[in-house]
Structure formats: structure tokens, C-alpha cells
Amino acid sequence: MRELAEARDNHRKREDLSRGRRGLLMVNTGNGKGKTTAALGLMLRAHGRGLRVRLFQFLKHENARFGEHRALDALGIPHQGLGDGFTWRSRDLDNTAALAQHGWELARAAILSGEHDLVVLDEFTYPLKYGWVPWAEVQATLQARDPLLHVVITGRDALPELIACADTVSEVQPVKHAYQAGIGAQAGIEH
Ligand code: ATP
Ligand code: MG
């Protein structure tokens, strides 16, 4: 029974590939606001098309309950916070690095599981930039993934190697931000 299902699945994949469907590697980088929210918007679009979507957030604490987490729960989209709740400027860098490595193991397993159509690695540029997760390992995993799996990576300072490898790269440039005018973070806009 299982073999039959697998054969059907492989046949469907071959048909999808011959019709031009491809799994894309997309990167949202730059110093402006909108990288994570653009990835969330893409998740919404993909979910609406019946794609199996999953989000890993490398900086957010596992208990974070931001607006997007509430909305994802309502839609039944799995998401996981893998960070220590602080930022990449966190003081306890050993712990931050260990968390990032553990998070990468989970994300890697999901990428190779064949159970998703879109996997988002939010703020994953930082573990790459600081060398907590080796680029060679990430590249090998991306190359080994199902050819129909879409992957999105967000965060500032994307490695040139990642940019070279990606299919679509967007760089968000800050023109102005409300913070600079002394306006604090707004619920539903920043978190
Ligand atoms: P968002 O989650 O709103 O899409 P982002 O993912 O592009 O933002 P990050 O670099 O992850 O931005 O930073 C997250 C937080 O920092 C957000 O609350 C965002 O409003 C704020 N932020 C982003 N860019 C700037 C900027 N140029 N100046 C000040 N604050 C910023
Ligand atoms: Mg972000």
C-alpha cells in the first residue's frame, strides 16, 4: 500500500516538474522593515493554495505570542520559536549559538522530511553570518531537498554565498522608520 502511494507521489512530482513547477530559494534581506512580514504574507498566499507551510523563527522565543503566531494558530499553520527571546545582540552568545544549532537541526529535518511545500527560516541570516551554523551544511541540505520545496530565508546581512545560491532575492531599503521619530513599537505592526 505504502509503495503504491509513494509511486503515485513520485509520478505526481514528475508531472509537476514537467509542467514547470519548481521549488524556489527566496531571500528577504536588507536593513528596512518588511522582511519577516513579507515572508508571512507569502505563507498566507501559499496556505491559500493548499501548500503545506511551516515557519521556524531563529530569534523568537518559543513562547512568543505575537500577532502572527495567533493568526498562524487560527489557520493551523505550524510555527516554532527557536531563539532565546532576545536579539542577535544577546549577551550569552554561547547559549544563542547552541540554540541556533539546535534550531537548524529541527529545520533541516523538516526540509528533508518531504512533508512540506514551503519552509520559512526567519532571521536565519544571523546564525550563518556568525558561523554558528556552517554555510556548507546549509547549502548541502538545500541541494538535497525535494525539487518542489520552496524555502524562504529572512534577515539582514545575507551571506554572498546564500545570495548566489538563491532564485529570488529582495533587499528592503530603509527610507524612514517611525522609530526614528520616537514612535514606539505598535501592536499588530511590529509584533
Ligand atoms: P518586520 O517583522 O516588521 O517585517 P523585519 O523583519 O524587516 O521587520 P527585522 O530586521 O527582523 O525587520 O527587525 C524587526 C523589528 O525591527 C521590527 O519591529 C521592525 O519594525 C524593526 N525595524 C526594522 N527595520 C528597522 C529600521 N530600519 N529602523 C528601525 N526599526 C526597524
Ligand atoms: Mg525580521
Side-chain angles (χ1 to χ4, degrees):
M1 259 334 251
R2 196 163 146 229
E3 277 165 20
L4 191 64
E6 263 175 32
R8 257 196 228 118
D9 203 35
N10 285 338
H11 178 69
R12 186 182 53 80
K13 275 183 189 161
R14 275 197 301 276
E15 279 193 348
D16 280 345
L17 284 165
S18 73
R19 284 198 212 104
R21 260 198 69 200
R22 290 289 180 279
L24 300 174
L25 175 60
M26 291 163 276
V27 176
N28 298 345
T29 192
N31 295 336
K33 172 176 165 63
K35 300 175 292 294
T36 296
T37 43
L40 292 166
L42 197 68
M43 289 176 67
L44 189 66
R45 177 179 279 170
H47 176 77
R49 286 286 186 184
L51 301 194
R52 297 161 302 171
V53 175
R54 182 151 177 191
L55 170 68
F56 292 97
Q57 293 191 294
F58 280 79
L59 294 185
K60 299 277 165 23
H61 193 279
E62 60 180 334
N63 298 326
R65 292 286 296 153
F66 289 7
E68 57 266 41
H69 306 127
R70 295 159 196 240
L72 292 171
D73 284 346
L75 291 170
I77 297 176
H79 58 92
Q80 212 160 341
L82 304 163
D84 51 15
F86 297 97
T87 68
W88 42 275
R89 295 185 198 93
S90 173
R91 279 163 206 268
D92 187 358
L93 281 183
D94 285 346
N95 185 44
T96 303
L99 277 172
Q101 282 151 13
H102 172 67
W104 165 242
E105 286 309 319
L106 298 180
R108 187 172 177 272
I111 287 170
L112 298 176
S113 71
E115 289 169 11
H116 309 291
D117 302 300
L118 170 64
V119 173
V120 176
L121 309 181
D122 186 39
E123 320 294 351
F124 189 54
T125 54
Y126 304 109
L128 287 173
K129 177 183 173 181
Y130 293 107
W132 299 329
V133 175
W135 162 248
E137 205 181 300
V138 175
Q139 187 179 30
T141 303
L142 291 171
Q143 279 166 353
R145 79 191 195 274
D146 186 311
L148 294 175
L149 173 65
H150 300 297
V151 175
V152 177
I153 295 177
T154 83
R156 299 176 188 208
D157 305 324
L159 289 185
E161 295 92 321
L162 170 61
I163 288 175
C165 201
D167 299 289
T168 299
V169 180
S170 299
E171 184 171 34
V172 187
Q173 292 294 344
V175 176
K176 60 202 289 204
H177 193 290
Y179 281 5
Q180 291 150 0
I183 302 168
Q186 304 294 309
I189 304 298
E190 258 85 37
H191 54 83

